[in-house]
Amino acid sequence: MNPYAGTLKRLQDAFYSGRTRPLKFRINQLRSLSRFLKENRNLLLDTLAQDLNKPSFEAELSEIVLCEEEIQLALNNLHKWVKDEPVEKNLVTQLDSAFIRKEPYGVALIIAPWNYPLNLLLVPLVGAIAAGNCVVLKPSEVSKSMEQVIAEVLPRYLDQNCFATVLGGPREATLLLKNKFDYIFFTGSPTVGRIVMAAASQHLTPITLELGGKNPCYVDDNCDPQTVANRVAWFRFFNAGQTCVAPDYVLCSPETREKLLPALQRAVTQFYGKDPQCSPDLARIISPKHFLRLRGLLGSGRVALGGQSDEQERYIAPTVLVDVKETDPVMQEEIFGPILPILTVGGVEEAIAFIRKREKPLALFAFSNDSKVVNKVLEQTSSGTFGGNDGFMFMTIISMPFGGVGHSGMGKYHGKFTFDTFSHGRGCLLRSPHLEFINKFRYPPYAPGRQGLLVWLLKHKLSLPCSIL
Ligand code: NAD
């Protein structure tokens, strides 16, 4: 039994009817999406508070404003993005029309996680709409309140023939993935990423994988400890650490660690007060399962700061761990919570060796007053994204590609890159049905002299904008 066959058929029919192709349709849907954000702002903020106790300051910045920015950018530039892109021609095709057509794939599937349940569903959707696709949205079942809003409120704003939402968890997603999609955009864990990729391979469906991992953060001796502590703490404890691009662990010398610890303590007290559990500015852990997982990780090494937890509230205090060994549980998995281990290394060389021994992370951070040190880390490592002297501020620049590399994912998006992700670049050559005399020298019987001429014509280019079509 395939419970999604009807939905898929409806969207496929709409796509082949050409409904999503006109620029006007895409612009209308994007404007509607913008209205959805505007008219439901309070509902969305309340919903994020219900699921994650997400402070409205953090929710506005990371969920709503970034989506609005993406929509605005697409609305401002869509007329340029959709244009055929002319390509350089050789002398043989000089009279022809050669270009790249930005073609929508068809019906795309977007699967999202729970940590930024609005942003990670809508930002890919903006590019998918802009590129002219129909879309099935699969929000996370873990962020239950947002899943409900996506199911009940969002459809009022989008064309029902072209956009659908499928609810549920792994069981429903497994059934959904048995269907043939034209594109799959997945954000989530590497474990589920493998499952999704295997399912996509059955239909040879192109795929983007936005995954997670452990993001190293190197802190050089040459730094101002308080500045580094403020920046690392904010990005680590933002959304209670449930951010794929958050610094996962710090690498520094034993001397710098001793300076960072009191500075981190000051930063945490300044941000969240003496008792962070009473702070309105600290989110909660999404579910009892994740709470228990994180509480288990508090046993790695020694608690230098924080360490308190409250199961009832799914609260984990902003915590710093020291004396952590590479083999400890906290170093075996992505932490995805408000826990920051500090591991000591002899210097930048050792930190780079430590990073290179592991999977390529989604984000990597280096802090130093010496730009040579930051550049050294940048040059001698690889990661999806890189932050020098700050956390994931790069997420606010939507003209920058965002995506993983290796174990942290494949493909990139944000801004124009999302449009490109959801567009097939179709190479097109349109020739004249006439002028057959030009083609004569390519047909058999082949003569040696003609081969030389043809090779010469193919190798040479003229940059004339000339075409006969
Ligand atoms: P997850 O992989 O458990 O779930 C992601 C989505 O996949 C959900 O919608 C879920 O319902 C669905 N899913 C679960 N099991 C499935 C299966 N067997 N088949 C198909 N779909 C299935 O991830 P999560 O716990 O929701 O999110 C946390 C992970 O996501 C972390 O690893 C984090 O780093 C990563 N993440 C990455 C990014 C990024 O942009 N690269 C952003 C946010 C989160």
Side-chain angles (χ1 to χ4, degrees), residues 240-253:
Q242 300 162 109
T243 305
C244 58
V245 280
D248 188 275
Y249 60 92
V250 165
L251 294 171
C252 66
S253 70

Side-chain angles (χ1 to χ4, degrees), residues 111-116 120 138-142 168-171 173-174 177 186-193 195-196 209-213 243-245 290 334 336 362 395 402 404 408 413:
I111 303 180
W114 50 261
N115 59 331
Y116 292 86
L120 297 171
K138 204 325 247 147
S140 172
E141 77 288 8
V142 180
R171 200 178 67 83
T174 304
L177 282 166
F186 172 80
T187 307
S189 61
T191 306
V192 178
I195 297 171
V196 174
L209 293 177
E210 295 287 341
L211 309 177
T243 305
C244 58
V245 280
H290 282 278
E334 179 182 5
F336 223 55
L362 182 60
M395 297 297 274
F402 174 66
S408 53
Y413 77 127

Side-chain angles (χ1 to χ4, degrees), residues 345-392:
V345 286
V348 67
E349 304 286 353
E350 203 181 314
I352 289 170
F354 188 98
I355 293 163
R356 280 163 51 162
K357 258 198 322 202
R358 289 165 172 73
E359 299 287 3
K360 291 180 183 173
L362 182 60
L364 203 157
F365 309 97
F367 288 79
S368 177
N369 288 341
D370 182 350
S371 60
K372 282 201 219 72
V373 173
V374 173
N375 275 313
K376 190 180 174 82
V377 180
L378 172 59
E379 272 166 30
Q380 297 187 11
T381 58
S382 176
S383 60
T385 46
F386 184 87
N389 285 315
D390 208 3
F392 48 88

Side-chain angles (χ1 to χ4, degrees), residues 22-38 65-82 122-123 125-131 158 398 414-416 418-419:
L23 207 55
K24 198 165 163 216
F25 174 87
R26 306 183 200 188
I27 288 171
N28 281 342
Q29 296 301 301
L30 289 172
R31 286 193 180 137
S32 270
L33 199 55
S34 172
R35 277 210 321 281
F36 163 72
L37 291 173
K38 204 170 281 159
V65 173
L66 286 179
C67 289
E68 285 174 338
E69 286 283 288
E70 292 277 356
I71 296 171
Q72 204 47 53
L73 185 86
L75 285 171
N76 291 346
N77 294 285
L78 196 49
H79 63 287
K80 284 187 267 168
W81 294 350
V82 296
L122 296 198
V123 171
L125 177 64
V126 170
I129 294 174
L158 295 175
I398 63 173
H414 286 183
K416 164 98 167 25
T418 322
F419 173 84

Side-chain angles (χ1 to χ4, degrees), residues 388-431:
N389 285 315
D390 208 3
F392 48 88
M393 229 18 228
F394 47 72
M395 297 297 274
T396 61
I397 305 177
I398 63 173
S399 52
M400 190 125 89
F402 174 66
V405 56
H407 197 258
S408 53
M410 59 183 76
K412 51 188 179 300
Y413 77 127
H414 286 183
K416 164 98 167 25
F417 297 99
T418 322
F419 173 84
D420 291 339
T421 286
F422 284 99
S423 301
H424 164 54
R426 191 178 188 183
C428 303
L429 176 67
L430 306 187
R431 308 205 74 197

